Every structure is written in structure tokens, then in C-alpha cells.
């Protein structure tokens, strides 16, 4: 399979300029046109929070206003080695999900 630009006699430099990407990227795709599909990730990455998701959900079920800081401290005491930022983002995401569900019910 050849690149459309290469069939027209365009150089890698010209293709890179027209697409706004580096020459090395053009070369990589010309040498291996299947590259993007073969490199796609399957599923999502594992999170340090995965083993503790039940705890987060239970705490939010108990009280939606528990703070991320409070939950982070509890998780740290349970052996969680991740950062506060991870917990804060996940708590924000879970709260938004719950509020969306509550809004849809009414």
C-alpha cells in the first residue's frame, strides 16, 4: 500500500510540509502503513485506584459531600500509593455521574 502523495512523486519533505507533521513521521508511515491500527490500545489502562473503587463509591453513597482530601487520607491508610490528584479527579468524575443520574430521575 503506498501513500497517496508518494504516488504523485512527492518527496517525504513535501508530504510532511503539506500535512504539518515531521519528516520522520512521514517516513514511519510510508515504511509501515499498518502502524496506526496495529498500535491501538486494547481497553483502558489500569489505575492505581482500581482496587479502591468500591470504597470511593461506598463513601459517596454514604455522603456525597465527603471531600477528596478525606477520601485520599483514608485510602492512603489502606495502602493506596497514588497521588491526591488521581483521587480528586476520580471523585469529581463519580460525583458528576451521580448528579447526572439524579437529574435524569427528576
Amino acid at each position: 500500500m503506498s501513500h497517496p502523495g508518494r504516488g504523485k512523486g512527492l518527496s517525504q519533505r513535501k508530504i510532511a510540509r503539506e500535512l504539518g507533521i515531521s519528516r520522520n513521521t512521514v517516513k514511519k508511515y510510508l515504511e509501515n502503513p499498518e502502524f496506526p491500527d496495529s498500535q491501538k490500545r486494547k481497553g483502558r489502562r489500569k489505575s492505581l485506584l482500581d482496587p479502591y473503587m468500591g470504597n470511593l463509591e461506598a463513601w459517596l453513597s454514604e455522603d456525597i459531600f465527603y471531600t477528596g482530601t478525606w477520601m485520599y487520607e483514608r485510602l492512603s491508610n489502606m495502602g493506596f500509593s497514588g497521588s491526591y490528584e488521581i483521587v480528586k479527579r476520580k471523585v469529581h468524575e463519580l460525583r458528576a455521574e451521580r448528579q447526572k443520574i439524579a437529574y435524569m430521575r427528576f
Side-chain angles (χ1 to χ4, degrees):
M1 173 188 248
S2 67
H3 188 278
R6 289 296 281 182
K8 297 178 183 176
L10 298 176
S11 68
Q12 289 179 11
R13 185 177 300 229
K14 178 79 171 167
I15 294 169
R17 214 176 291 131
E18 286 186 17
L19 295 176
I21 58 177
S22 78
R23 260 191 346 229
N24 290 338
T25 303
V26 172
K27 180 180 178 187
K28 179 173 54 176
Y29 285 113
L30 290 173
E31 290 174 353
N32 187 2
E34 300 300 317
F35 178 75
D37 294 332
S38 65
Q39 296 296 317
K40 285 185 182 169
R41 263 195 202 160
K42 300 204 172 36
R44 70 175 185 87
R45 277 176 48 183
K46 290 189 181 235
S47 168
L48 290 174
L49 270 176
D50 285 348
Y52 304 97
M53 284 303 296
N55 298 85
L56 292 177
E57 290 168 351
W59 290 329
L60 286 173
S61 293
E62 189 177 305
D63 187 348
I64 194 80
F65 297 109
Y66 279 148
T67 64
T69 308
W70 184 88
M71 289 188 233
Y72 173 71
E73 288 173 9
R74 299 303 175 286
L75 292 176
S76 294
N77 292 336
M78 297 168 71
F80 175 68
S81 61
S83 71
Y84 165 69
E85 286 298 315
I86 296 170
V87 175
K88 181 176 83 170
R89 281 194 303 268
K90 183 52 81 173
V91 168
H92 179 76
E93 181 183 309
L94 292 172
R95 275 195 187 125
E97 228 174 80
R98 287 179 180 273
Q99 288 173 345
K100 180 180 174 185
I101 291 169
Y103 177 77
M104 288 172 38
R105 286 187 186 154
F106 293 106

